[in-house]
Amino acid sequence: MIAETVCSAAAAAGLGIAAVTAYRKRFLAATRIAAYSLIPLGLVMTGVVDWVADTAFSPVAWAGFGVLGVSWLLFAGTRAVERRRGGTRKERKAAARSAQSEAVAPAASAPSLGPASRPATAPRAGKADDFSDIEAILKKHGI
């Protein structure tokens, strides 16, 4: 009962402020103020205020909010773990596709510009291949 009275008084005060604003020839602002001031009155008339008052004093509703909080924590936790692993599922799939395409034919996708434009590289020794993996990991982390 008190909530309905407060909401109605807030709506009346807001409409009064809107009337004063309109008197000052600021019609756009007056319309916006009137729209905001009618929201509490509409909430009272639709019964939302009664529902909120009933929910605020209901232990079952508070238990429901607790369940929603636990759900949110689980979502946030899984998102944090996903970030620590190295990105989202879409990024991991894209990385797997690019690795697969490089494994199949890495030179086939490179454009052929002639023999002079391609630098001649000698194949590395066995130990150098071990360090290339480490270099790739360091580059991935920006080191």
Side-chain angles (χ1 to χ4, degrees), residues 42-56:
L43 291 175
V44 167
M45 294 175 77
T46 57
V48 173
V49 174
D50 288 333
W51 176 79
V52 169
D54 291 341
T55 303

Side-chain angles (χ1 to χ4, degrees), residues 33-113:
I33 291 169
Y36 280 124
S37 66
L38 290 174
I39 291 173
L41 187 62
L43 291 175
V44 167
M45 294 175 77
T46 57
V48 173
V49 174
D50 288 333
W51 176 79
V52 169
D54 291 341
T55 303
F57 299 112
S58 170
V60 174
W62 284 107
F65 285 126
V67 168
L68 289 174
V70 168
S71 173
W72 181 82
L73 286 174
L74 290 173
F75 276 122
T78 57
R79 182 74 176 154
V81 168
E82 189 175 63
R83 284 183 183 163
R84 288 182 68 85
R85 283 189 180 169
T88 62
R89 183 183 309 166
K90 187 184 293 185
E91 292 170 351
R92 287 193 302 268
K93 283 185 180 180
R97 270 190 239 117
S98 68
Q100 184 180 16
S101 67
E102 288 178 6
V104 173
S109 63
S112 175
L113 298 176

